[in-house]
Each structure stands twice: as C-alpha cells, then as structure tokens.
Amino acid sequence: MKKITCVIIIILVSNFKVFANRAMYVNDFANILGNVTTENELLTYAQNNGIKTLLLYDLHIINSNYNLLNPATNFILADFIYKAKTIYGVLDVAAIAENAFFSLTL
C-alpha cells in the first residue's frame, strides 16, 4: 500500500511541474532596458531558473523616454520582448503598475 501511495504522489507532483509556469517580478526595469549586458544577464537568469513569465515594473518611465505607443520609438521594448521569447524561452511578458495614491485601510 505504501508503494502505491508513493507512486501516486510522484505522478501528481510530476504532473504539477508540467503545468507550472514560474514568473518573476522585475523591479527597476527602466535601468535594465537598453543595456544589452544587463538585459542578457536578466534573461540568462530567467532561462537558467525556468522563469517563463516576466512581470515588468517601471514601464511608465520607459514610456516617458520612448513613446511606447509610437512604432518609431517603441522598438526598444519590442526588441527586448522578441529576444526574451525567441532566444531565452520566455513565454509571457506583462506590465505591472501601481498607483501612489492607492491606500488600503484595514
């Protein structure tokens, strides 16, 4: 009975790993984007640690420096996302934002 229980647990754990999608918050992304060395260090870390989703902070700073709505200037972010997905195995890239005026009263 212990062997059967052990086998069932192993099967369940292995199935969870198949569907796991590790994500990582990337703070200060505005200081990474555009620097090939730091971009590659971030993406290598993600690849080596099975990170499949990058959650990026500071896109408002990037947008103020490179208008992300303008195809003539948004290539800096587009190129990073393309490299992350095609070379480093990242599946998803998302923007994370917060509002300084948000407060929570408990």
Side-chain angles (χ1 to χ4, degrees):
M1 185 66 168
K2 287 184 180 182
K3 287 182 182 181
I4 293 173
T5 303
C6 185
V7 170
I8 290 172
I9 290 172
I10 291 171
I11 291 171
L12 289 175
V13 170
S14 66
N15 283 337
F16 287 135
K17 285 189 171 201
V18 169
F19 296 108
N21 184 358
R22 298 187 71 194
M24 179 174 68
Y25 289 98
V26 181
N27 201 16
D28 293 326
F29 184 64
N31 294 322
I32 296 171
L33 187 65
N35 181 325
V36 175
T37 301
T38 55
E39 285 181 6
N40 292 342
E41 287 173 355
L42 167 65
L43 294 171
T44 298
Y45 178 86
Q47 184 178 49
N48 290 343
N49 291 283
I51 306 296
K52 297 298 180 186
T53 300
L54 297 177
L55 305 167
L56 309 177
Y57 281 103
D58 293 341
L59 288 183
H60 67 286
I61 296 169
I62 294 164
N63 186 53
S64 64
N65 294 328
Y66 308 93
N67 182 355
L68 296 179
L69 296 176
N70 184 346
T73 56
N74 69 7
F75 64 89
I76 191 165
L77 181 59
D79 289 349
F80 173 83
I81 293 170
Y82 180 79
K83 176 171 55 172
K85 289 185 170 190
T86 59
I87 298 172
Y88 291 91
V90 172
L91 299 177
D92 298 301
V93 178
I96 302 296
E98 60 185 61
N99 186 331
F101 299 107
F102 178 79
S103 65
L104 178 64
T105 304
L106 298 176

